[in-house]
C-alpha cells in the first residue's frame, strides 16, 4: 500500500478530463490541482497561512536547491520539510534531475549519475538515483520524484531512445532504494518528442510500482501544439488509477488543454515569477500593473476577485509599490496570481463534476488573450 | 479644538515618565508609543493586518518620499494615505525637512524654503513651509509635522541660533497655512546642542498653537549622554498637556532613557532596517541570525516571545532563508523586531501605571548588552 494514492472520482464524458482525489499523509486533496512552487523551502514572499487562505493543497520544493543549501541533514534534524518551513498540507519534492540538466556545461552525465558544479560556490557535487532518493527521504515530503534525465528539445531519435532507456533503469534504482512508510515515489515518463518513445517510457515505468507518474520533458521549448500532441500520445497509455503530473506547466491555457487530455497535477514558477516582475494573471490574460496606464486606476487588480490583494488594494497603490521598489508589491501580486490559478483549477473541477467541462473550456478560450 | 489631543493620565512619582492617551480621528492610542516607519506608504515587507496583530497604533510616512513619488495629488485622489495604503489606525507624516537636509550638497536653504534635487531622477524640486503643509494636508495623516531645519552636529552657536530662529518663523508659516478639521500639526523643537537655544525654541514654538511637539535635531551623531542631557534640558520646559515626540529614535535603551525624561512618542527605521540585514532585537540585545552559530538552532528568535515569527519558525529556518536570499526572511524579522519594540513600550506603560517604572528600567539595563 502506497502512502499516497490516487482515487478517480469521475471522468468527463466528452474529453479526457478527470476529477480525482489524492490521499496523502497530510490530507486528501482534489485534482486537477496546481502546486505552488517553494523552491528553497518557501513559496517566495508569502507565508504558510497565506497559502492556506488561498486554498493551496500540495506545494513543491526542490531537491537540487535544498541538497546544496541548507542540506538534507539539517532539514531532517528539523523534523523534515513540513516542520522546517511550517507547512502542514501536502508536499512534493522533485528529484533534482531537471535542475542539474539545466546546468548545461556545468554537469556531466554517466550511467551512474550526474556530476555537477554547485551554482552557489562552484563546488563539485554528485547526484544519482540512489542519492536523490535518500535526500528526498530525509526531506520527507509526501511525494518524492524519481531521478530522471530530461531530454532537451530538439534531440535526435537515438539520443532520446538511449536517454529514455536510462531513465527507466534509473527509475528502478530509485524504487529499489526508496524505503519510507510516509512517503511515496512517482516515476517520470520521458521519450522526447517521439510518440513511440513516450509509449515505451509509459510501459517501462508502468512495470514498476510507482504511486503516480510525472510527465517530464515537455514545455522545454517546443511549440505548444507539439506539447499537446505528445501529451495526448502519452496519457492515453497511462494507468487510469494513478495520478498524472505534468511537470513545469502552469499557464491557464496549457493547464486547460492538459486537463482535457487527462492530466491531474501541475506545477510552475510562472505565476510567482511574473508576479515579482509586476505582471498579474487574470481571466482575460496578463495585466502589467507597472504600466503607466494604471497610475491613477483605483480598481482592484481583477474585478470580482476575492483574494486578499484585490479585496484591499488598488492597481494604483500596487503600481506605486513597484515603482518605489517596495517588497510588499511582490507579495501582493504573488498572492493574487496563486489565488487566481488555484481558483482556476477549482472552477475546472466544478465543471468536470457538473459535466460542463467542454463548455467551460470553450468559454475560457473565448475570453483569454494570451494563447 | 485640535483634531488630535494629548491626555496626560499619570506621571511617574520618581522620574519624568508619563502615561498618556493620544486622541486622533482614527482612534485613541496609548503613550509612550513607538511608531513603525512606512516611508513610502508601506511599512517595508509587512501588511496592515500584521501591523494590527502586533499592536501597532500610529505609523509614520515620509512627505519627502511621497511628494516625489507617487505625488500627493495621487494620494489625495485615492482618498488619502489611510485609504491608499489601507491602514486604519493613526498616521503621522513628517514634513520632509529632515530628508531634504540629509541631501547635503544636493540642496540649498533660503528663508523662503529649500531647493533640492530629487534622489530619484535628479530633477529640481522646492519645499517650503507652505508647500510642505499643503502636501501633508493632501496626504491626510492624522498628524502633520511643521517644516523645520535640522541642525547638523556639530554646529557653532551662531549657526544654531540663526537656524533655530528660522525654524520658529517657518513654524508660524506652517500654522498660518494649515487648514484641516481632521488633521493636527505638531511643531518641532530645535536648538542644536545648546541648552539655551533648546529652551528658546520650546518657548518660541510654545507661543504657537500646535497640537503637540516634536523634538528634532537629536540622535544626529552626538554621543548618547549629550543627547540625554539636551533632552532633559528640553522636556523640562515643555507644556505637560501636549504630546512630546522624539524624532528618529528607536533603540530600546534610548527609548527607556527618553521616557524617563518625559517623552511620549518615538519613531525610527532601526528595527525594520536591521531586520532586513538579518539582525533580531531581543531583551538582551541584538541577535544576528545570519551567523553560523544559529545554523542548527531550532529555538525561536527569542524564547518567550509570542510574535508570529517566534510562534512558527526557528532560527535555523530563518538563517536558511537569509542565506538563500529569500524575501520571506526580511518579513519574518521585521515582524519580530516591531513586535518586540511595541511590546517593550507596552511594558513601559504597564510599569508607569503600576508605579514600578524605575525598577523596570533598572532591571532592563541589567540584562541589556547593547548600550
Amino acid at each position: 500500500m502506497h502512502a499516497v494514492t490516487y482515487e478517480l472520482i469521475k471522468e468527463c464524458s466528452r474529453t479526457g478530463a478527470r476529477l480525482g482525489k489524492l490521499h496523502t499523509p497530510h490530507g486528501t486533496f482534489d485534482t486537477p490541482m496546481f502546486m505552488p512552487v517553494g523552491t528553497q523551502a518557501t513559496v517566495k514572499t508569502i507565508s504558510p497561512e497565506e497559502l492556506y487562505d488561498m486554498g493551496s493543497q500540495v506545494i513543491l520544493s526542490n531537491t537540487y536547491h535544498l541538497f546544496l543549501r541548507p542540506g538534507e541533514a539539517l532539514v531532517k534534524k528539523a523534523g523534515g520539510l513540513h516542520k522546517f518551513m511550517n507547512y502542514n498540507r501536502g508536499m512534493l519534492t522533485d528529484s533534482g534531475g531537471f535542475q542539474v540538466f539545466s546546468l548545461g556545461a556545468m554537469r556531466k552525465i554517466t550511467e551512474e549519475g550526474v556530476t555537477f558544479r554547485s551554482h552557489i560556490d562552484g563546488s563539485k557535487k554528485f547526484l544519482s538515483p540512489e542519492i536523490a532518493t535518500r535526500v528526498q527521504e530525509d526531506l520527507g515530503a509526501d511525494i518524492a520524484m524519481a531521478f530522471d534525465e530530461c531530454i532537451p528539445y530538439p534531440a535526435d531519435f537515438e539520443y532520446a531512445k538511449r536517454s529514455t532507456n536510462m531513465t527507466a533503469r534509473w527509475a528502478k534504482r530509485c524504487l529499489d532504494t526508496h524505503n519510507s512508510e510516509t512517503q511515496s515515489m512517482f516515476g517520470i515518463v520521458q521519450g522526447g518528442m517521439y510518440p513511440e518513445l513516450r509509449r515505451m517510457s509509459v510501459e517501462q515505468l508502468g512495470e514498476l510500482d510507482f504511486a503516480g507518474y510525472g510527465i517530464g520533458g515537455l514545455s522545454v521549448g517546443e511549440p505548444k501544439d507539439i506539447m499537446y500532441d505528445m501529451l495526448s500520445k502519452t496519457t492515453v497509455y497511462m494507468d487510469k488509477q494513478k495520478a498524472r503530473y505534468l511537470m513545469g506547466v502552469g499557464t491557464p491555457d496549457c493547464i486547460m488543454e492538459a486537463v482535457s487530455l487527462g492530466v491531474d497535477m501541475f506545477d510552475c514558477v510562472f505565476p510567482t515569477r511574473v508576479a515579482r516582475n509586476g505582471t498579474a494573471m487574470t481571466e482575460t490574460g496578463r495585466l502589467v500593473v507597472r504600466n503607466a496606464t494604471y497610475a491613477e486606476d483605483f480598481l482592484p487588480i481583477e474585478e470580482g476577485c476575492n483574494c486578499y490583494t484585490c479585496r484591499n488594494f488598488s492597481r494604483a497603490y500596487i503600481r506605486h509599490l513597484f515603482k518605489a521598489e517596495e517588497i510588499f508589491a511582490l507579495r501582493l501580486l504573488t498572492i493574487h496570481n496563486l489565488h487566481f490559478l488555484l481558483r482556476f483549477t477549482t472552477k475546472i473541477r466544478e465543471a468536470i463534476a457538473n459535466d460542463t467541462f467542454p463548455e467551460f473550456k470553450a468559454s475560457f478560450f473565448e475570453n483569454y488573450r494570451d494563447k
Side-chain angles (χ1 to χ4, degrees), chain A residues 46-308:
Chain A
I46 65 170
S47 70
E49 290 73 19
E50 283 164 335
L51 285 165
Y52 302 151
D53 284 351
M54 60 177 76
S56 166
Q57 307 185 110
V58 178
I59 64 171
L60 184 144
S61 256
N62 287 69
T63 293
Y64 167 81
H65 292 85
L66 298 177
F67 171 62
L68 295 181
R69 181 174 60 198
E72 70 282 6
L74 179 74
V75 176
K76 187 182 185 181
K77 214 167 173 175
L81 205 43
H82 281 91
K83 207 167 165 204
F84 186 53
M85 66 182 284
N86 196 32
Y87 186 78
N88 299 317
R89 295 187 183 170
M91 213 176 281
L92 178 151
T93 45
D94 76 354
S95 63
F98 182 75
Q99 273 77 25
V100 294
F101 293 111
S102 303
L103 291 172
M106 286 171 73
R107 48 83 179 154
K108 193 179 161 234
I109 308 166
T110 67
E111 182 72 24
E112 181 54 21
V114 184
T115 306
F116 62 98
R117 296 266 174 198
S118 159
H119 75 281
I120 299 170
D121 60 8
S123 64
K124 210 167 165 179
K125 301 281 177 183
F126 181 68
L127 273 179
S128 65
E130 290 78 13
I131 295 172
T133 300
R134 287 193 203 108
V135 169
Q136 289 184 88
E137 282 181 359
D138 284 352
L139 296 176
D142 302 276
I143 302 170
M145 299 301 295
F147 192 69
D148 62 328
E149 182 183 0
C150 179
I151 299 166
Y153 175 81
D156 66 47
F157 183 82
E158 284 311 313
Y159 179 92
K161 187 174 178 183
R162 267 200 318 276
S163 171
T164 302
N165 280 318
M166 187 175 73
T167 282
R169 292 190 296 273
W170 283 7
K172 184 165 187 314
R173 284 165 57 189
C174 288
L175 261 195
D176 287 347
T177 304
H178 193 251
N179 181 21
S180 167
E181 306 259 301
T182 56
Q183 180 183 73
S184 283
M185 187 170 260
F186 281 21
I188 301 179
V189 173
Q190 293 287 349
M193 302 302 161
Y194 300 98
E196 61 266 51
L197 296 183
R198 287 273 158 194
R199 179 173 183 172
M200 176 184 85
S201 188
V202 169
E203 290 171 351
Q204 287 172 332
L205 293 168
E207 287 171 19
L208 304 171
D209 186 29
F210 284 108
Y213 290 92
I215 302 166
L218 293 180
S219 195
V220 290
E222 78 282 9
K224 283 186 183 175
D225 55 352
I226 294 190
M227 176 172 88
Y228 300 143
D229 186 44
M230 282 306 122
L231 200 52
S232 70
K233 288 165 180 163
T234 302
T235 51
V236 69
Y237 299 112
M238 292 174 81
D239 183 347
K240 282 199 168 179
Q241 302 306 323
K242 288 189 173 168
R244 303 155 177 183
Y245 158 32
L246 178 56
M247 304 179 77
V249 167
T251 57
D253 55 331
C254 291
I255 289 179
M256 190 65 96
E257 292 291 2
V259 163
S260 74
L261 296 171
V263 173
D264 309 304
M265 300 163 68
F266 301 88
D267 82 285
C268 195
V269 295
F270 177 81
T272 43
R273 182 169 289 166
V274 301
R276 298 196 305 281
N277 287 329
T279 297
M281 298 169 75
T282 77
E283 296 204 343
T284 54
R286 301 183 205 179
L287 182 154
V288 184
V289 73
R290 303 184 72 110
N291 284 351
T293 175
Y294 302 114
E296 304 203 352
D297 187 336
F298 299 107
L299 291 175
I301 289 293
E302 186 169 24
E303 287 183 271
C305 174
N306 70 341
C307 82
Y308 169 75

Side-chain angles (χ1 to χ4, degrees), chain A residues 14-64:
Chain A
R14 290 168 284 165
T15 73
R18 20 195 269 143
L19 194 67
K21 286 191 183 295
L22 195 70
H23 302 283
T24 83
H26 286 85
T28 291
F29 307 108
D30 302 311
T31 63
M33 67 159 67
F34 174 77
M35 301 184 285
V37 178
T39 303
Q40 303 189 107
T42 168
V43 176
K44 287 190 193 302
T45 80
I46 65 170
S47 70
E49 290 73 19
E50 283 164 335
L51 285 165
Y52 302 151
D53 284 351
M54 60 177 76
S56 166
Q57 307 185 110
V58 178
I59 64 171
L60 184 144
S61 256
N62 287 69
T63 293
Y64 167 81

Side-chain angles (χ1 to χ4, degrees), chain A residues 327-347:
Chain A
I327 284 172
F328 192 45
L330 313 182
R331 175 174 165 192
L332 289 179
L333 278 202
T334 298
I335 289 173
H336 172 80
N337 283 0
L338 286 178
H339 181 275
F340 168 81
L341 218 42
L342 291 165
R343 185 188 53 172
F344 179 71
T345 48
T346 299
K347 285 180 180 174

